[in-house]
Amino acid sequence: MNVAIVEKNPVFRTSVRAMLNHKFHSLTPLETESLESLGEIAQLGIFDIIIIGLSEKDSEIDETVLKMVMEKNPFSSFIVYSSDPDHKQARSLIRIGVKGYLPRHACLAELATCVRSVFSGNPYLSPKIFVNLCYSKTEPAFI
């Protein structure tokens, strides 16, 4: 499985790679710090999964750039993890094609479950975010 990890923080990026290597033996991870720089390493091959990290400092994702990356990687599935998970952001990202969304503080087991689900072609939404999405009073509970 080829995985790209897009995360500004090199320590967190390395931690995600180490956790994934622990759970998946046939993993080929590549790391980069931004969606823009992903294009440079994308020439190295096709990614099965692209994992994008959002930090507290950079909690917003440029959906225009994300859509362009998705168009350039049509065979890749996308997972976003956020330090400040938001049901509105989750809904918006899922609508544009993100297959997995989980909080940055998710445990290794949840990250592995998300990757397995998305790699199998199924969507994954963290149960904590799903509950918030279902009980949102400002918008309908459906995505």
Side-chain angles (χ1 to χ4, degrees):
M1 173 176 15
N2 295 324
V3 177
I5 303 167
V6 181
E7 164 67 52
K8 283 191 179 189
N9 183 322
V11 173
F12 203 81
R13 203 170 51 228
T14 301
S15 298
V16 170
R17 179 178 40 85
M19 289 190 300
L20 291 172
N21 278 327
H22 177 73
K23 286 291 188 178
F24 302 95
H25 301 291
S26 61
L27 184 80
T28 305
L30 288 169
E31 302 175 27
T32 187
E33 64 183 27
S34 69
L35 283 173
E36 292 82 6
S37 63
L38 180 64
E40 297 168 17
I41 66 168
Q43 297 172 0
L44 300 174
I46 296 174
F47 297 108
D48 298 303
I49 296 177
I50 297 174
I51 301 173
I52 303 165
L54 300 177
S55 67
E56 288 178 14
K57 190 186 283 186
D58 297 310
S59 61
E60 295 295 317
I61 191 165
D62 185 335
E63 290 187 11
T64 303
V65 173
L66 178 59
K67 286 177 187 178
M68 287 188 332
V69 170
M70 292 173 116
E71 287 173 9
K72 290 181 180 180
N73 297 278
F75 301 109
S76 301
S77 295
F78 289 76
I79 295 172
V80 172
Y81 62 86
S82 178
S83 62
D84 189 22
D86 175 14
H87 68 274
K88 290 179 185 177
Q89 182 182 56
R91 178 180 284 123
S92 177
L93 292 173
I94 289 167
R95 283 183 178 153
I96 65 169
V98 169
K99 297 295 182 201
Y101 188 88
L102 63 154
R104 188 177 180 107
H105 62 273
C107 65
L108 174 57
E110 185 174 8
L111 175 62
T113 299
C114 179
V115 169
R116 279 188 194 98
S117 179
V118 169
F119 187 67
S120 297
N122 299 309
Y124 181 87
L125 184 61
S126 174
K128 183 177 182 176
I129 297 167
F130 182 73
V131 167
N132 289 337
L133 188 65
C134 288
Y135 291 104
S136 168
K137 295 181 184 193
T138 59
E139 297 183 38
F142 57 89
I143 294 180

